Amino acid sequence: MNALRTVGRRPPSRRLLLSPLPPLGLCLLITALDLLFDMLGQLVALLLIGPVLAGTRLGVRSTAVVCGVALLLGLLLGATTGNLLAPDFAVRGSGLLLGCVLAVQAARRHTLLRTTLKRSRQVTRATQEALLRPVSATLDGTQVCTRYHSATQESHLSGDVYDVVVTPYGLRLLVGDVRGHDLDSLRLAAATLAAFRDLAPVAPHLPALATDLDARLAPEFGPEDFVTAVLAEFAPGEVRLVNCGHPAPLRVGARLDLLEPGESAPPLGLGPQPSQYRHRLDGSDRVLFYTDGLTEARDRDGTPFPLLDEAAATLRDPLPEQAVDALHARLTAHIGRPPTDDLTLVLCQPELTAAPLAVSDGVLRRS
């Protein structure tokens, strides 16, 4: 999978704020006002505004340049007005010099902090990409194609999780959404994926897998933490689902319908006791799993994304990769900008169908 990222240039207004032109312009303006109104160098202290502004936004070199220009302009004012050796001008000039030194020191500290933050973001991005492994393959007779978009591009932190595991019971899938977009959500996402990879091959059925996941993650949950999740298991001719507070998957084929659970269950972390539901799949059927970045998308007028109509127009493409990309393109066109929420799309299509297998977990419902 290639992560669906939008990389753009900084807007002109931001590039201007990160250049030395604004602080230099302020220094020149203050100098001009002093000369124009015959202030006799009384505005020398105000020249410090330029270095202070530079020290909070620019690097060390640019800040030093602004400081040098401010000091030269201060000397120019003193020489032009004949007050260069006056005691009061010396006091104002000394304050300007001290302020310039402090501005350069502040710029150095800010540069170090920005460098550290950039490295941290790179580590976070690598961790995120290691957790959310791209999938575009046929696994245990089911074609699986994933697409992922992170709303927080600067840090690449996301609350979305997904994974697929081939088990003795068939291909099992997890798609979930961890509350939040901070480092705690990344920690909980990693714990959720690790627990799923450990438990998916051994849980006898999906309800047991859900309760086992909830128990395994209990020590990781804070007072307000939870994970919405949908668990799926593909078997000949059907898909079995357990839904813990997550948007319902969409079946696309001869018919188009949401695979809603008969009984709602709370998310992981809130003690779910879900039931399993079986849904028949015909030879051309596909199942789309997604996060709320798709269902909650709005255009600038607040109109929601018409999921059913757009899915019918895009997800019947012969190639699953092109189908998912087309759906994402329609979403971006609808909202008029890159998605502002995390978005995960997982499209699954069993290659072969047969009569559904008998399952004896005692909690099945049929569609």
Side-chain angles (χ1 to χ4, degrees):
M1 173 200 67
N2 294 322
L4 298 175
R5 300 191 178 103
T6 301
V7 180
R9 295 181 179 179
R10 289 171 176 168
S13 58
R14 181 166 175 79
R15 292 200 300 270
L16 181 62
L17 289 175
L18 296 179
S19 75
L21 293 181
L24 288 174
L26 283 174
C27 292
L28 292 173
L29 178 62
I30 292 170
T31 302
L33 291 175
D34 189 284
L35 294 175
L36 182 63
F37 293 101
D38 295 325
M39 301 295 292
L40 302 178
Q42 295 183 23
L43 299 184
V44 167
L46 293 182
L47 290 173
L48 185 57
I49 296 176
V52 169
L53 181 61
T56 58
R57 295 181 176 273
L58 306 180
V60 177
R61 289 186 179 181
S62 297
T63 301
V65 169
V66 174
C67 290
V69 171
L71 291 173
L72 289 176
L73 292 175
L75 292 175
L76 175 64
L77 288 177
T80 302
T81 59
N83 293 329
L84 188 60
L85 300 179
D88 57 341
F89 184 86
V91 171
R92 290 193 289 269
S94 299
L96 176 61
L97 177 61
L98 178 61
C100 286
V101 173
L102 294 177
V104 173
Q105 292 295 331
R108 180 178 289 108
R109 288 196 297 270
H110 291 158
T111 300
L112 291 175
L113 288 175
R114 284 192 290 267
T115 301
T116 302
L117 181 59
K118 181 179 179 180
R119 292 174 179 173
S120 299
R121 287 171 174 169
Q122 290 174 344
V123 172
T124 301
R125 176 180 177 180
T127 303
Q128 185 89 46
E129 292 177 347
L131 291 175
L132 300 180
R133 300 176 296 183
V135 179
S136 183
T138 299
L139 303 173
D140 198 31
T142 299
Q143 289 182 292
V144 181
C145 180
T146 65
R147 293 293 184 267
Y148 160 72
H149 171 90
S150 175
T152 49
Q153 290 300 312
E154 291 186 353
S155 63
H156 295 272
L157 291 175
S158 169
D160 289 2
V161 293
Y162 65 86
D163 203 3
V164 288
V165 177
V166 177
T167 75
Y169 308 97
L171 181 69
R172 285 181 171 176
L173 165 74
L174 163 72
V175 176
D177 189 355
V178 178
R179 179 183 180 276
H181 297 87
D182 53 13
L183 287 175
D184 285 337
S185 69
L186 181 61
R187 173 189 55 79
L188 186 53
T192 302
L193 291 175
F196 175 74
R197 291 165 188 171
D198 288 345
L199 298 173
V202 297
H205 46 71
L206 294 184
L209 177 57
T211 55
D212 290 347
L213 282 172
D214 185 68
R216 174 74 68 88
L217 295 174
E220 306 291 339
F221 286 120
E224 299 181 356
D225 291 337
F226 60 84
V227 180
T228 67
V230 59
L231 299 169
E233 178 180 289
F234 287 89
E238 69 177 23
V239 60
R240 302 159 187 163
L241 298 175
V242 159
N243 196 318
C244 298
H246 198 78
L250 178 65
R251 177 171 50 192
V252 182
R255 58 186 181 274
L256 185 73
D257 55 346
L258 292 170
L259 305 182
E260 298 278 3
E263 299 175 2
S264 60
L268 302 177
L270 301 179
Q273 296 292 329
S275 298
Q276 176 172 278
Y277 296 85
R278 300 168 64 181
H279 302 273
R280 182 174 179 80
L281 297 178
D282 295 329
S284 61
D285 284 349
R286 292 171 171 174
V287 182
L288 177 70
F289 302 86
Y290 52 91
T291 53
D292 58 9
L294 186 64
T295 55
E296 296 181 0
R298 301 286 189 275
D299 64 9
R300 299 184 186 278
D301 297 328
T303 304
F305 180 66
L307 174 58
L308 296 181
D309 293 339
E310 297 293 357
T314 57
L315 294 184
R316 292 189 172 100
D317 189 286
L319 298 179
E321 294 84 357
Q322 294 182 3
V324 175
D325 289 341
L327 181 62
H328 182 270
R330 293 287 188 98
L331 174 67
T332 303
H334 175 78
I335 62 180
R337 59 187 183 278
T340 56
D341 194 6
D342 300 330
L343 174 63
T344 295
L345 303 174
V346 181
L347 186 63
C348 299
Q349 180 177 4
E351 291 185 336
L352 300 174
T353 59
L357 299 177
V359 180
S360 58
D361 59 14
V363 290
L364 300 183
R365 306 291 185 271
R366 297 177 181 273
S367 66

